[in-house]
Amino acid sequence: MPAKKYKVTLSAEERQILEKLTTTGKTAAYKMNRARILLKADQHQADGGWGDQAISAALDVSVATIERVRHQFVEEGFEAVLSYKQGQQPRVQRLDGEKEAHLIAPVATELM
């Protein structure tokens, strides 16, 4: 098995935030899963962090999800992992008022 390219190393403050997040209050499921993945993958543990297969079995998430969380943590940072990304592109309006009127006009005339 090749060495991990993206290694998770949490600071004491980040670890404390994640532990609090997973043990108290109401938290979104995606955020809870990501927090648990980061806690298990942390290299600053006594055993050096869990492997992806062990995390996958323990948390019932796919290995691909674990790899994505690791990658996002290393590339974008702690806050990015715990925030939900909205769609990047705005929705394109396909019909304007005039086109919509032409679309609805035949139906409106039948109802009269």
Side-chain angles (χ1 to χ4, degrees), residues 1 4 50-59 61 63 66-67 70:
M1 178 183 277
K4 290 284 177 210
W50 292 26
D52 288 354
Q53 293 295 334
I55 296 171
S56 176
L59 301 180
V61 294
V63 173
I66 296 164
E67 290 171 352
R70 283 181 190 266

Side-chain angles (χ1 to χ4, degrees), residues 7 26 32 47 55 85:
K7 295 184 179 181
K26 293 182 180 179
M32 183 83 69
D47 61 354
I55 296 171
K85 266 189 193 171

Side-chain angles (χ1 to χ4, degrees), residues 2-99:
K4 290 284 177 210
K5 183 175 180 180
Y6 301 105
K7 295 184 179 181
V8 175
T9 52
L10 297 172
S11 68
E13 180 184 350
E14 289 170 338
R15 179 169 263 292
Q16 184 180 16
I17 290 169
L18 292 174
E19 287 173 349
K20 185 176 180 183
L21 184 74
T22 59
T23 58
T24 59
K26 293 182 180 179
T27 305
Y30 80 91
K31 193 179 284 191
M32 183 83 69
N33 279 340
R34 291 176 181 196
R36 288 181 176 148
I37 289 168
L38 290 176
L39 286 170
K40 299 285 186 203
D42 184 20
Q43 296 293 312
H44 284 141
Q45 296 181 48
D47 61 354
W50 292 26
D52 288 354
Q53 293 295 334
I55 296 171
S56 176
L59 301 180
D60 197 29
V61 294
S62 70
V63 173
T65 299
I66 296 164
E67 290 171 352
R68 277 193 307 273
V69 170
R70 283 181 190 266
H71 179 242
Q72 187 176 21
F73 177 78
V74 172
E75 294 293 323
E76 299 175 28
F78 180 72
E79 294 297 325
V81 173
L82 297 179
S83 64
Y84 185 73
K85 266 189 193 171
Q86 295 294 335
Q88 298 295 329
Q89 298 177 352
R91 293 181 67 149
V92 177
Q93 186 175 4
R94 307 235 166 136
L95 292 177
D96 59 5
E98 184 178 340
K99 290 178 183 175

